[in-house]
Structure formats: structure tokens, C-alpha cells
Amino acid sequence: MHTSIENLLNNQIKYEAMASMQYLAMASWADAEGYNGIANFFYMQSEEEREHMLKLVKFVNERGGKVIIPQLEQPADEFSSLQSLFNHFLESEMFVTEQINGIIDECLKLKDYNTNNFMQWYVTEQLEEEATARTLLDKLNIIGDDNSGYYLFDRDISTFVQPHEDR
Ligand code: OFO
């Protein structure tokens, strides 16, 4: 495996781990605020990000690269509103998408078609996750600052999200 691809994949392991911890902190915040539906949503997202990280760890090992399990910064754990919480979610996903696109660019430059092929799963995944984050933010923007709207959003959040088939 080319060193620059190995480095980028190790960075990606870190970003997936960061997303997993960030969503865990968001789940815990929502739990403490009494939003159980939102808490469950982020507990599940956190698990998914951990799986994305693991998939990369296994891939780098299979390809004979050296995996570096990263040290992480403490995630944000205070949010001023549900809008701010979900805005954070969208920004985090957009950041990850950008990094994945960077890996694809490098794969194509170095003709590493195997890693490119592997990373296509992440491209699709990001598309879905960004769409989910945008849908949820749109709904919150419609609700504005109506508490009964938040109650319904929390109750119904699982029905707003498309189930994933390939996990
Ligand atoms: Fe790892 O799927 Fe989004 O971030």
C-alpha cells in the first residue's frame, strides 16, 4: 500500500472514531435533556461510525498497512438547541465527505483502484447521511421554537430516517 494512501486511511480511521465519540456525546446530551428518540438516533449513529472505523482498520490490515489507533480530543457536549445539535451533525458529515473525496482523488492519482473500490461504499454512505442530516434540520427549521413541535420531532424521529439496507 502506498504510504500516502496508508496515511489518508489512518486519518480516516481517526475521523470515523471522532464522529463515533461526537455522536455518543450528542446522544448523551439528548438523553439528559429528556429527548429519548433523539438520544436513540445518536446512539445508533455512534455505533455506525464505530463500524465504519472498524471496516477501515480491517482493510488497512488486510492490505498489509500499519494501523494507528488514534488519540482523540474531547467531543463537544453542550448544545444550545436542537437546531444547533443537528447543525453540528450536518457539519460533521460534510467534513467527513470532504475527507473521503480527498482519499478518492489520491487513489485515482496513484491508480490504487482497489482502495478506490473499497472507498466507494463510504461515498454512498456519506450521501445518505448528509441527506438524513439535511432532512432533520429542515424539519427543525419548520418547527422553529415550538416546544410541542420538539416533542413530536423527538417522538417521530425514527420514522423520518431511511433504514439502511447494507449494515
Ligand atoms: Fe462514517 O459515516 Fe458519516 O461520518
Side-chain angles (χ1 to χ4, degrees), residues 72-149:
L72 302 179
E73 312 239 312
Q74 188 174 352
D77 59 2
E78 284 300 335
F79 304 93
S80 53
S81 63
L82 290 185
Q83 277 88 349
S84 139
L85 183 77
F86 280 88
N87 212 18
H88 214 84
F89 177 39
L90 178 59
E91 279 174 4
S92 161
E93 290 304 326
M94 285 168 62
F95 170 79
V96 169
T97 301
E98 232 177 273
Q99 310 315 307
I100 287 170
N101 290 343
I103 300 176
I104 305 279
D105 279 350
E106 189 69 2
C107 286
L108 295 178
K109 206 172 89 196
L110 296 173
K111 300 192 192 311
D112 182 347
Y113 300 119
N114 193 321
T115 304
N116 175 54
N117 188 40
F118 169 76
M119 290 307 297
Q120 290 305 316
W121 183 88
Y122 287 83
V123 172
T124 310
E125 182 69 17
Q126 283 312 114
L127 204 71
E128 284 177 17
E129 288 187 336
E130 277 196 34
T132 298
R134 287 204 170 85
T135 303
L136 295 173
L137 254 184
D138 285 347
K139 293 205 183 289
L140 283 169
N141 287 334
I142 293 168
I143 291 167
D145 60 1
D146 170 22
N147 276 337
S148 54

